[in-house]
């Protein structure tokens, strides 16, 4: 299970999710995708389907127009349960809005059972300072070690180097290096060796 969290809205979460889904599909993995919080735009999950997700969901499918801290955790559990049906290799989900916001992301990340279900967390950030704060929040408040940082903070080599040197987290731009980001997530999940074995058989 791969979760995408962001420092705010429009930080590149959907673009990163699509890049990851596309690379996983290209390498032969079955992927399901959903959006747990944020703005109820079906275009986000349709973009994930266009990128290769076999099945998708959004919180409005469950009758919720706007998520909150009260509804977010239960919605996420329900969609995780639903999206693991059909035996996908990977479930990718986007936490819309920011880690600190009104849509319930903080409440979701605060739930131990949901955190335990997440195999990797990718942080999308608009600039290096936001990346620093987002990584710090994930580590110190939620005990989550991010797998990668992406988003506009990684639009140039300076941002990438700051994130990697000062935060010790891999930084990859989803727009310019989507395949690299996807491969990094695949390897972080331990699926790279599995795919290599399958290819050699």
């Amino acid at each position: 299970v791969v979760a995408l969290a962001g420092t705010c809205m429009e930080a590149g979460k959907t673009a990163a999710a699509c890049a990851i889904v596309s690379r996983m599909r290209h390498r032969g993995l079955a992927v399901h995708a959903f959006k747990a919080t944020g703005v109820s735009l079906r275009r986000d999950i349709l973009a994930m389907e266009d990128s290769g997700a076999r099945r998708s969901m959004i919180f409005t499918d469950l009758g919720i127009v706007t998520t909150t801290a009260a509804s977010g955790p239960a919605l996420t559990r329900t969609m995780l349960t639903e999206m693991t049906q059909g035996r996908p290799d990977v479930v990718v989900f986007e936490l819309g809005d920011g880690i600190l916001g009104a849509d319930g992301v903080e409440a979701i990340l605060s739930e131990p059972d949901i955190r335990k279900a997440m195999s990797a967390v990718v942080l999308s950030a608009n600039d290096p300072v936001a990346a620093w704060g987002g990584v710090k929040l994930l580590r110190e408040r939620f005990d989550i070690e991010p797998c990668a940082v992406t988003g506009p903070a990684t639009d140039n080599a300076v941002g990438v180097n700051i994130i990697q040197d000062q935060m010790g987290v891999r930084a990859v731009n989803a727009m310019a290096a989507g395949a690299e980001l996807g491969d990094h997530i695949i390897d972080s999940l331990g699926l790279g060796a599995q795919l290599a074995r399958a290819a050699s058989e």
Side-chain angles (χ1 to χ4, degrees):
V1 174
V2 179
L4 289 105
T7 56
C8 62
M9 293 179 69
E10 302 299 324
K13 296 179 293 293
T14 304
C18 289
I20 292 167
V21 169
S22 177
R23 186 59 176 172
M24 289 180 169
R25 185 67 196 94
H26 177 78
R27 291 189 61 184
L29 296 169
V31 185
H32 292 176
F34 70 91
K35 186 171 181 179
T37 63
V39 180
S40 52
L41 295 175
R42 187 161 293 275
R43 72 181 183 203
D44 290 346
I45 59 167
L46 291 177
M48 295 180 205
E49 286 186 14
D50 288 345
S51 298
R54 190 170 66 184
R55 291 184 60 204
S56 69
M57 281 186 80
I58 188 169
F59 53 88
T60 49
D61 293 335
L62 300 173
I64 302 296
V65 177
T66 303
T67 60
T68 65
S71 63
L75 282 169
T76 302
R77 290 186 187 98
T78 299
M79 287 190 279
L80 273 171
T81 300
E82 179 62 28
M83 286 292 95
T84 54
Q85 304 304 306
R87 300 181 63 81
D89 296 302
V90 185
V91 174
V92 174
F93 77 96
E94 176 185 340
L95 292 158
D97 195 19
I99 298 171
L100 301 178
D103 290 348
V105 177
E106 187 175 4
I108 291 166
L109 296 178
S110 295
E111 294 293 326
D113 62 318
I114 297 176
R115 287 201 308 272
K116 186 177 179 182
M118 297 186 303
S119 312
V121 175
V122 178
L123 176 70
S124 290
N126 273 328
D127 59 70
V129 175
W132 182 87
V135 169
K136 185 176 176 68
L137 267 172
L138 288 173
R139 286 173 172 165
E140 296 181 6
R141 185 170 297 185
F142 306 110
D143 196 27
I144 292 171
E145 181 59 33
C147 178
V149 173
T150 189
T154 64
D155 280 353
N156 55 56
V158 174
V160 168
N161 291 336
I162 288 170
I163 292 164
Q164 294 186 156
D165 294 344
Q166 296 196 26
M167 294 157 234
V169 181
R170 181 77 176 271
V172 186
N173 188 273
M175 304 298 286
E180 181 184 343
L181 177 62
D183 286 340
H184 174 63
I185 304 304
I186 289 168
D187 291 340
S188 297
L189 297 173
L191 295 174
Q194 174 185 316
L195 288 170
R197 283 195 303 271
S200 66
E201 290 175 356

